[in-house]
């Protein structure tokens, strides 16, 4: 269920951006007119795509910290690195969570809206705290899986390499 929600939160903005960009190209080509709101919507939806992309990367084990550094280490060093990498990622997401909540609340309280289309700005800024919460969950999940691999599965393969 959570995976489906994450995928939808990543795919829906991407689909909207693709359609809006296509409509803008058609408008420029046939009507010789650019739609002003397209760049605003594209940039605003990019926040959702980036946040959900980071969460999905953690879920799928594609985060650079878990592949580049983690795969290079062996034995107890690998376990320590897993804990440190997980802690750093969680710390980043926690900071992003607090700043994201603060910014979205400020935008909602002030009634700030996007200049061209007039949508509440907090709808786009909400990607920060939503992505941060999901990111903490997926980082801990990836860290636990990485720690299990480093302490349980890494030892037999290291012995086989000798």
């Amino acid at each position: 269920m959570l995976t489906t929600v994450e995928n939808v939160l990543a795919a829906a903005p991407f689909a909207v951006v693709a359609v809006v960009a296509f409509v803008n190209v058609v408008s420029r080509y046939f009507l010789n007119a650019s739609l002003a709101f397209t760049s605003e919507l594209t940039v605003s939806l990019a926040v959702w795509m980036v946040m959900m992309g980071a969460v999905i990367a953690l879920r799928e084990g594609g985060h650079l910290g878990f592949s580049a550094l983690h795969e290079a280490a062996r034995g107890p060093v690998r376990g320590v690195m897993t804990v440190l990498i997980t802690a750093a990622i969680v710390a980043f997401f926690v900071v992003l969570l607090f700043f994201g909540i603060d910014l979205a609340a400020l935008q909602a309280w002030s009634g700030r809206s996007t200049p061209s289309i007039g949508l509440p700005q907090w709808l786009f800024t909400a990607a920060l705290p939503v992505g941060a919460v999901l990111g903490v969950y997926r980082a801990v999940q990836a860290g636990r899986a990485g720690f299990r691999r480093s302490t349980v599965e890494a030892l037999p393969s290291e012995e086989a390499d000798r």
Side-chain angles (χ1 to χ4, degrees), residues 9-23:
L9 288 175
F14 187 78
V16 170
V17 167
V19 169
V20 165
F22 177 74
V23 168

Side-chain angles (χ1 to χ4, degrees), residues 18-120:
V19 169
V20 165
F22 177 74
V23 168
N24 193 31
V25 168
V26 169
S27 173
R28 284 182 184 180
Y29 184 74
F30 289 112
L31 304 175
N32 203 21
S34 179
L35 303 174
F37 74 92
T38 58
S39 61
E40 176 181 291
L41 190 59
T42 300
V43 168
S44 297
L45 288 175
V47 178
W48 275 103
M49 291 186 290
V50 167
M51 290 304 297
M52 292 301 105
V55 170
I56 291 169
L58 282 167
R59 180 186 76 210
E60 299 295 324
H63 192 279
L64 289 177
F66 280 103
S67 60
L69 296 175
H70 190 259
E71 298 301 321
R74 297 284 178 241
V77 172
R78 190 179 213 173
V80 169
M81 288 187 76
T82 300
V83 171
L84 291 175
I85 291 167
T86 302
I89 293 169
V90 167
F92 171 77
F93 278 127
V94 167
V95 169
L96 196 59
L97 173 66
F98 286 110
F99 282 113
I101 288 172
D102 188 44
L103 183 58
L106 179 64
Q107 290 172 343
W109 178 77
S110 69
R112 183 173 177 191
S113 61
T114 59
S116 296
I117 47 182
L119 288 174

